[in-house]
Amino acid sequence: KDRSEVLAGISHDLRTPLTRLRLEAEMSVADSARQAVVADIEQMESVISQFMDYARAESGEAPVLTDLTTLLASIAERQRSIGHTLSTAIDSLPETLLRPKAITRAVTNLIDNAVKYGGGDITLSAATVNGEICLEIKDRGPGVPPTEIERLKRPFTRLESARTDATGTGLGLAIVERIARLHQGQLDLLPNPGGGLLVRLVLPIRR
């Protein structure tokens, strides 16, 4: 808990000087260099956002009875609105107690990961299976070797392969793993039949 609070505090404190840097770059940096400076600032802000998400993953949001069908549909619509190609197969799901902001963060992280590494064929599906809610995000990227799966769920870990993001924090899957545990659920990384990665998030139905 102390480590999470320190991480959140540092990340929060870095936001103000970064905002000043962005304004200064826009006002005073030569046109030839401005784009590179702004891109660096945006990358730093993205890293800070990931740190904040990781620190918040087990923080104070209370579980509420949630219409997950509507929540997932809104996440998918948001992804399409920012230009991501996403197919959906979302069944009518029972209302369940969960933390909607945390689940939104988890599903968005998984879709972003699929967009970044998986090419254009991405599917979000959700159904009730054996009395639990099963969410799946499938892509057609290079996948993940079975020997690397558990390691990739740990913080600050990246895969030394075609799915490596040299500019990322290695926190995306760790955030989802923490959110899954927070809901007494489970995160699995599996081969997608026909090639690619299938990420499965299983959540218990609680009322």
Side-chain angles (χ1 to χ4, degrees):
K1 182 179 177 182
D2 287 345
R3 285 195 297 269
S4 293
E5 288 177 355
V6 168
L7 188 59
I10 292 170
S11 300
H12 180 270
D13 290 346
L14 285 172
R15 282 247 163 93
T16 299
L18 276 176
T19 300
R20 285 200 300 266
L21 276 174
R22 179 188 285 273
L23 289 172
E24 289 163 4
E26 294 288 351
M27 294 173 64
S28 60
V29 175
D31 289 345
S32 58
R34 183 179 299 131
Q35 187 173 354
V37 172
V38 170
D40 284 343
I41 292 170
E42 288 176 348
Q43 182 180 327
M44 293 168 71
E45 288 174 337
S46 175
V47 168
I48 288 171
S49 292
Q50 287 273 282
F51 285 165
M52 294 288 283
D53 283 348
Y54 184 71
R56 285 196 302 247
E58 295 184 9
S59 64
E61 186 185 9
V64 295
L65 198 60
T66 302
D67 179 353
L68 190 54
T69 306
T70 300
L71 181 64
L72 293 175
S74 69
I75 294 171
E77 183 60 32
R78 168 62 180 158
Q79 291 292 313
R80 294 187 185 108
S81 74
I82 60 176
H84 295 163
T85 302
L86 179 69
S87 302
T88 55
I90 303 170
D91 290 356
S92 180
L93 304 167
E95 288 191 337
T96 183
L97 280 173
L98 51 78
R99 295 162 175 82
K101 289 181 182 178
I103 293 297
T104 298
R105 192 175 301 129
V107 174
T108 300
N109 274 7
L110 293 176
I111 294 172
D112 286 347
N113 190 66
V115 168
K116 191 178 293 182
Y117 306 118
D121 188 9
I122 300 161
T123 303
L124 167 65
S125 62
T128 305
V129 180
N130 298 325
E132 297 178 307
I133 293 171
C134 180
L135 312 179
E136 292 185 345
I137 291 90
K138 302 175 186 175
D139 68 50
R140 291 298 182 189
V144 172
T147 54
E148 295 289 298
I149 285 172
E150 291 305 315
R151 187 177 72 86
L152 282 180
K153 295 180 186 179
R154 298 201 296 267
F156 308 106
T157 302
R158 291 191 291 266
L159 183 64
E160 299 302 323
S161 75
R163 291 190 81 103
T164 295
D165 176 15
T167 64
T169 60
L171 281 174
L173 287 175
I175 291 168
V176 181
E177 170 76 2
R178 291 184 77 175
I179 291 170
R181 291 200 317 266
L182 187 62
H183 289 83
Q184 291 80 52
Q186 182 173 334
L187 175 67
D188 293 313
L189 309 183
L190 305 164
N192 189 13
L197 183 67
L198 186 159
V199 182
R200 179 177 294 151
L201 179 60
V202 179
L203 303 169
I205 297 171
R206 297 186 299 147
R207 295 188 178 87

